[in-house]
Amino acid sequence: MSIDMEQFHGVFFDESQEHLADMEQQLMELDLSEPDPEQLNSIFRAAHSIKGGSGIFGFDALTGLTHIMENLLDRARNNTIEMTTPIVDLLLETTDLLKVTLDNYRNQEEIEQADIDQGISKLNILMTSLEDSTAQNSSNTGDDGDNDENENNEGVSGDLDGFGFFDDEPSDAHTAQIDDDDEDGFGFFEQPPATASEPENDENQGFGFFDTTPTETPATNAGNSAINCDTAPPADESIDKGYGFFPENEHPKDDPSDNKKGYGFFEKLPLPNAKSKKTSAVKEPKKNAAKSSTAKASVESSSIRVDTGKIDSLVNLIGELVITQSMLSQVSSDMPGEPNEKLQNAIAELTRNTREIQESVMSMRMLPMHFTFNRFPRVVRDLSSKLGKKVDLVIEGGNTEIDKGMIEKLVDPLTHLVRNSIDHGIEKTEDRLALGKAEMGTVILKAEQKGSSIIISIIDDGAGLNRERILAKAQENGMSVDVDMPDSDVWKLIFEAGFSTAEAVTDVSGRGVGMDVVRRNLEAIGGRIEIESSQGEGSSFNIHLPLTLAIVDGICVSVASQTFVVPLVNIIESVQPDPSQMKLISNDKLLWIRDQYWPLVKLHQKMQIEGAITEPSRAIVMLIESSNKRFGLLVDGLMGQQQVVIKSLEQNYRRVEGVAGATIMGDGQVALILDVESLANSVKANGMSKESIL
Amino acid sequence: MNSNITQENMHAESNEFLSFFLGEEHYALDIMTVKEIRGYETVTKIANAPSFIKGVINLRGDIVPIIDLRIKFSVGEATYTEFTIVIMLNVCDRIVGIVVDGVSDVIKLQDEDIRPPPEFGVAFDSKYLLGLASLEEHMVILVNIESLISSDELGLFDNHATTKE
């Protein structure tokens, strides 16, 4: 009789989270002087969806909050109240509260009932203050029955929110649907006997606790199946808005004019679902309904939720395929004779196909930067109002795609940098005016792809970094600095631990933890950060990231018979040094180039390889830059640039000093990927750090 | 093929072992730990590794370390010919290859066939041995390959094999 509702919880949480994010974004974008009714609608729908879902699962705190939020929004979209900044503020606050509450439910933690009550009462107070004589709903405090009735009353006056309780009252369903052009119905389906027997359902509010698809009935509840079968088709028509509990059905955003959304509670049934919807559309006299349900049906099949684990294993397998393919082409190129030509053609075809497969599989892991960027309007808004600065956030390149794993890890560093720009970068309004700058400060958040890396920039038109202050602070902290240091080196100092030049510690920044963490976090995902700044004009933080975590761009180098891969991001240039450039310091060789002395790390020595070229002037020196050091890496020769798939050494073996991982070359051999950071550490061990030389 | 299965097999009445040669000596290990048997191929050397760790190879996309027990335990001569065999083992959720001079047979042994290991006299410490068995004329040394591979002595894994990727 009963079905396990737990299985739907995860989906509900995921979706509610999306709805909340959507709501927040829409709230931020809302133009208060002339609110777009579609936007208000979609905010309303998001609140409505959460309310519906939480109602089903008995998450009362969510239901209570969203309910009153919904009432407020409903008035806003009916133009009975005007959206103002305080309202948006309160709504944003409420979304935050909802997020917290949602997380609490998800983690099965205690709900902060006091916060919820406070949130509800705040909304209520606002509602009351906005109250006009016609609306009687202000006294509602979350009692569902009452509210629904009220909403239905409203609906009579042109805009109805039907809660489809349509189990046993198909005629109601029809009524609701007929005099309605903007209806939000609910197709719930739960253990229905209780609800079905509730007398109040006979009122003109219906909660369709059965979903619209007739075929689902047997699975849900045998006891009610008879009713359901009878009522399902009309219910189907009457349900205008759906809660896709399964991804195929869920595209609330795709068609904003589309108020018809399906409630697909069962993944297996997208087809009948879509079909039944179409049927309903045919019966439906209204043209737009027919249009929207067709649109809906086509949208439903366009997205599918897949476990990331499956994608990851696919990515791994494709990696294998690429390796096998390159082995094959190597073998074929060694084969003589005429059949070889055909073979080579076939392999060329295979190469193209594998590359395409690889690209499309990789793209499955990619998400647009929107996912990270979308939170920043809020961050900037909150922070600028807190600091009393006027800041305009410009987001560019939100469509740039980046690996999913990186998206998550970028949030903290980016948040920090943006906060930093607003707190330290952008001047106070009066200072800006005094300097003849625009009153409104601008922070640009930009993502772009350049070659095989993604560059994310945080640009502000504020004061820029203060060279003197950084240098003074560095000296104070006992760092070895030079007044003639190039700007780029000075800027790097701010990434040192415990470095903050803020004159006062605020709760926003100034504690000196942060920039070093930013750098560490970025390095953990294979990125690096560069600063450009000019005093009085602003500064720009540029983050360079690899396209994905699974693949690294590297230069293959040879040492005797072995091959190593040096990550491209660390390489400045490669040179064949002239003997005159080689200097000696206590028997250690230094390379004098680019007006600097570079300590030399001999890779053959580090990797204990015999038979390598030991004389630098006959070998190649790669100038390598790690996060804190620069050195020259002595190798025998360069073999070319290549993208390599990173394999873990630790999976079957253990960590090896100086080695970040391994990869498999075209000939099936294993090549080690060098870990420049740990190689750099050995430079210090020899007392050859750059600082000591300068 | 995790340790549990291996343990269970140890306690089963009849066990199958893969016997192999290290030099002149006849060894055997639990066949359930064997993933596959391959010829020796060129390895990629690992810096600063002990000499018995030959390096790593690519086993269909996995990077697998290759160990030469002959070097570690000074049995026989560490020569590599086209007949040199690598036994790929699946122990402790890891894949490890061991170099041997040859694989001879799969042998079935009853529990009562297995005698306790001697305190001395074989290359391996007795804690890595399950026991001895006689097979026709030969004596076969049964190796507890799992405890050997995960031992600190070989130092194959970080932190006593507790770290996994």
Side-chain angles (χ1 to χ4, degrees), chain A residues 364-382:
Chain A
M364 281 160 70
R365 276 192 63 94
M366 306 290 257
L367 287 177
M369 278 304 294
H370 280 312
F371 284 85
T372 315
F373 282 177
N374 277 353
R375 72 179 57 222
F376 285 102
R378 180 73 192 279
V379 171
V380 171
R381 187 180 190 275
D382 288 358

Side-chain angles (χ1 to χ4, degrees), chain A residues 320 323 327 562-564 605-608 647-657 662-664 668-672, chain B residues 42-50 53 56-58 60-65 93-96 155-158 163 165:
Chain A
E320 299 317 307
I323 291 159
M327 283 164 76
Q562 281 222 50
T563 306
F564 293 91
Q605 215 171 47
K606 285 276 155 221
M607 294 294 151
Q608 300 172 322
K647 298 272 175 188
S648 159
L649 256 187
E650 284 144 78
Q651 193 177 359
N652 295 313
Y653 187 50
R654 56 180 179 155
R655 255 192 66 77
V656 176
E657 169 88 9
T663 190
I664 296 158
Q669 285 290 307
V670 178
L672 301 177
Chain B
T42 329
V43 297
T44 300
K45 286 198 188 92
I46 301 277
N48 304 315
I53 294 176
V56 288
I57 64 154
N58 159 32
R60 292 183 300 278
D62 280 317
I63 309 291
V64 175
D93 287 332
R94 307 223 185 188
I95 308 169
V96 174
L156 271 184
F157 310 147
D158 288 323
T163 39
E165 206 187 355

Side-chain angles (χ1 to χ4, degrees), chain A residues 196-352:
Chain A
S197 61
E198 268 174 42
E200 57 205 281
N201 295 342
D202 296 342
E203 307 283 333
N204 65 345
Q205 36 144 330
F207 278 100
F209 266 71
F210 293 93
D211 192 14
T212 60
T213 325
T215 30
E216 286 165 9
T217 318
T220 57
N221 195 302
N224 277 292
S225 60
I227 300 167
N228 219 9
C229 287
D230 288 340
T231 57
D236 201 21
E237 286 167 52
S238 63
I239 285 168
D240 276 359
K241 176 170 167 20
Y243 291 84
F245 270 74
F246 287 96
E248 285 89 338
N249 295 335
E250 204 250 341
H251 264 277
K253 280 169 276 183
D254 287 352
D255 187 352
S257 68
D258 172 14
N259 284 329
K260 304 203 135 238
K261 288 178 191 142
Y263 282 80
F265 270 80
F266 283 108
E267 202 163 14
K268 294 164 208 151
L269 297 173
L271 202 60
N273 218 352
K275 231 188 234 167
S276 69
K277 207 141 295 161
K278 269 185 195 155
T279 328
S280 76
V282 174
K283 287 185 209 155
E284 189 90 25
K286 280 174 249 162
K287 250 193 213 159
N288 70 329
K291 231 199 297 176
S292 57
S293 35
T294 339
K296 184 68 202 154
S298 63
V299 161
E300 273 166 15
S301 57
S302 69
S303 143
I304 175 171
R305 245 172 241 219
V306 181
D307 182 16
T308 42
K310 287 186 185 170
I311 294 180
D312 288 347
S313 81
L314 198 54
V315 170
N316 282 342
L317 285 172
I318 298 298
E320 299 317 307
L321 187 62
V322 169
I323 291 159
T324 321
Q325 173 266 317
S326 59
M327 283 164 76
L328 206 55
S329 48
Q330 192 146 26
V331 171
S332 82
S333 62
D334 296 342
M335 270 172 46
E338 199 226 329
N340 186 26
E341 199 172 309
K342 282 181 184 164
L343 183 65
Q344 291 217 329
N345 286 341
I347 285 175
E349 197 84 350
L350 180 70
T351 311
R352 201 156 46 234

